[in-house]
Amino acid sequence: MIFTDDFKARLRLLSLSLLDAIKIGLVALAIVLPIRLFLVCPFYVKGASMEPTFHDREYLLIDEISYRFNQPKRGEVIVFRYPQDPKEFFIKRIIGLPGETLKFVNGQVYLLKDKSMNTWTKVDESYLPAENQTFALEDGEVTLGSEEYYVLGDNREHSRDSRYFGSLHRRYFIGRVMFRGLPIKRAQFFEAPTYTLTETGNTETESSNQQ
């Protein structure tokens, strides 16, 4: 078979195009693969424990790198390994930070501000519906260790969280929720909310069991 000059030119162009496509693919893979393996990971929400913030089967991206350089913040939503079964992954919100003492009074979360004066501050959680109250399973205060956090689901009446399994050690953290990709109409980036800590003085503990 005799190839014409025009055919040879087209063949060269096709070869160059394929070579460029392969190069682009390799570069993209070199960028995306490390991001996927070391920086972010996908997570599907399972269950209703984080409603109304996150709903069942929503698709999230988890930032796995930030906590290597920065301390977790109050209000950040994190994915972590369930301490009682590390093969399971949970999603909850950070409420208590290392070294803090907290308790629940009349459906609200309080942090100890001054131990000598027994003064407390109420954590105003604007992202929760007004009817969404937080009750402890047992009376008493909780004091967190140096690497311990207290995590709660936003759906307080239907969440298995630190009220059940206790404080969460940082070694179980996978990362923080940084983006919701699906459903598209609810796509959104996430940062830690700004809290108002209202000083209330002495409090009387009135806890009740969850349903």
Side-chain angles (χ1 to χ4, degrees):
M1 179 180 293
I2 299 176
F3 296 109
T4 63
D5 292 340
D6 181 61
F7 180 81
K8 292 179 181 178
R10 292 186 180 185
L11 188 60
R12 282 195 297 271
L13 287 175
L14 180 60
S15 299
L16 291 174
S17 297
L18 289 174
L19 185 59
D20 288 340
I22 292 172
K23 289 180 179 179
I24 292 172
L26 290 175
V27 171
L29 187 63
I31 295 173
V32 172
L33 192 58
I35 291 176
R36 170 62 184 86
L37 292 178
F38 304 108
L39 301 182
V40 299
C41 70
F43 180 81
Y44 276 100
V45 177
K46 183 178 180 181
S49 72
M50 282 300 295
E51 291 181 357
T53 308
F54 300 108
H55 296 276
D56 187 42
R57 299 182 65 82
E58 289 192 332
Y59 179 85
L60 311 177
L61 290 181
I62 310 304
D63 170 12
E64 295 184 297
I65 192 69
S66 290
Y67 289 158
R68 300 182 188 181
F69 306 100
N70 303 301
Q71 296 297 320
K73 299 177 182 178
R74 190 186 330 277
E76 289 180 330
V77 178
I78 64 169
V79 171
F80 58 93
R81 294 183 183 275
Y82 181 38
Q84 298 179 8
D85 184 359
K87 294 180 182 178
E88 291 189 48
F89 296 89
F90 279 23
I91 177 172
K92 306 295 175 188
R93 187 184 297 275
I94 297 174
I95 299 299
L97 301 175
E100 292 183 334
T101 298
L102 65 155
K103 65 179 179 179
F104 306 98
V105 180
N106 297 326
Q108 303 292 327
V109 181
Y110 287 81
L111 300 174
L112 181 62
K113 180 180 180 181
D114 188 331
K115 186 175 182 179
S116 63
M117 300 294 292
N118 193 31
T119 54
W120 297 77
T121 55
K122 183 176 72 172
V123 181
D124 294 323
E125 301 183 81
S126 59
Y127 44 81
L128 297 181
E131 67 276 8
N132 197 342
Q133 296 187 319
T134 309
F135 293 108
L137 298 179
E138 299 178 356
D139 293 344
E141 304 168 3
V142 178
T143 299
L144 301 171
S146 61
E147 291 290 316
E148 294 179 343
Y149 295 79
Y150 203 89
V151 296
L152 296 172
D154 285 357
N155 190 355
R156 299 292 161 80
E157 294 185 0
H158 304 281
S159 173
R160 181 170 294 275
D161 46 42
S162 285
R163 293 170 293 176
Y164 287 86
F165 53 76
S167 59
L168 179 69
H169 197 280
R170 186 171 174 175
R171 65 175 175 269
Y172 293 105
F173 284 25
I174 299 298
R176 69 174 185 89
V177 176
M178 71 173 193
F179 181 71
R180 174 171 49 215
L182 295 174
I184 294 178
K185 64 180 180 181
R186 282 170 56 82
Q188 180 183 348
F189 283 95
F190 292 92
E191 297 290 342
T194 300
Y195 284 93
T196 299
L197 300 179
T198 306
E199 185 172 341
T200 60
N202 297 340
T203 60
E204 294 294 332
T205 303
E206 299 178 4
S207 301
S208 66
N209 291 340
Q210 284 188 307
Q211 299 178 350

